[in-house]
Amino acid sequence: QVQLVESGGGLVQAGGSLRLSCAASGSIPGLNAMGWSLQVQGKQRELVATKTNSGTTTYADFVKGRFTISRENAKNTVYLQMNSLKPEDTALYYCRADSDYGSGSFVDWGRGTQVTVSS
């Protein structure tokens, strides 16, 4: 089973920047997109950004203009450059890999990396 390993989280002041990285331990059959979701304690996990194999990007409205997703497809690696961070961006950020094979769609998750933005 593939493992997704995130890095780059931490504590930053409001207005600062962080860059998250995520690398997959092996190949992912049927991989079609990689991205990031976040979860605040007590709330549902929500999508932040994804990027497909062909380069199509999707961003949540609350990060548009501030966050940028990028990938190295050959390495099954995805990054999230986060600028102009706000206290409300504080959350556990999960790497995700979306794939389709057989008759189903699947999402693999990393274990998460904490981002804390102080005011």
Side-chain angles (χ1 to χ4, degrees):
Q1 186 174 356
V2 67
Q3 285 189 320
L4 301 175
V5 180
E6 303 103 332
S7 61
L11 174 64
V12 65
Q13 287 189 329
S17 299
L18 284 174
R19 186 176 188 243
L20 306 183
S21 301
C22 171
S25 62
S27 62
I28 306 173
L31 178 68
N32 57 49
M34 294 187 74
W36 298 89
S37 293
L38 65 80
Q39 189 166 21
V40 176
Q41 192 171 6
K43 297 187 177 181
Q44 287 189 332
R45 194 172 298 186
E46 56 184 323
L47 183 70
V48 175
T50 61
K51 188 167 187 176
T52 67
N53 294 352
S54 61
T56 300
T57 57
T58 302
Y59 292 97
D61 286 343
F62 58 86
V63 304
K64 284 180 179 177
R66 300 188 298 125
F67 292 9
T68 302
I69 189 170
S70 60
R71 285 181 61 185
E72 291 186 67
N73 290 2
K75 297 181 179 180
N76 282 344
T77 301
V78 63
Y79 306 95
L80 186 68
Q81 178 66 43
M82 304 186 294
N83 298 329
S84 302
L85 282 160
K86 306 175 182 179
E88 51 263 44
D89 294 321
T90 296
L92 192 59
Y93 284 71
Y94 292 92
C95 178
R96 58 183 292 158
D98 298 68
S99 55
D100 295 308
Y101 61 89
S103 59
S105 297
F106 303 89
V107 181
D108 290 295
W109 296 99
R111 298 182 67 178
T113 185
Q114 179 68 38
V115 171
T116 303
V117 185
S118 63
S119 57

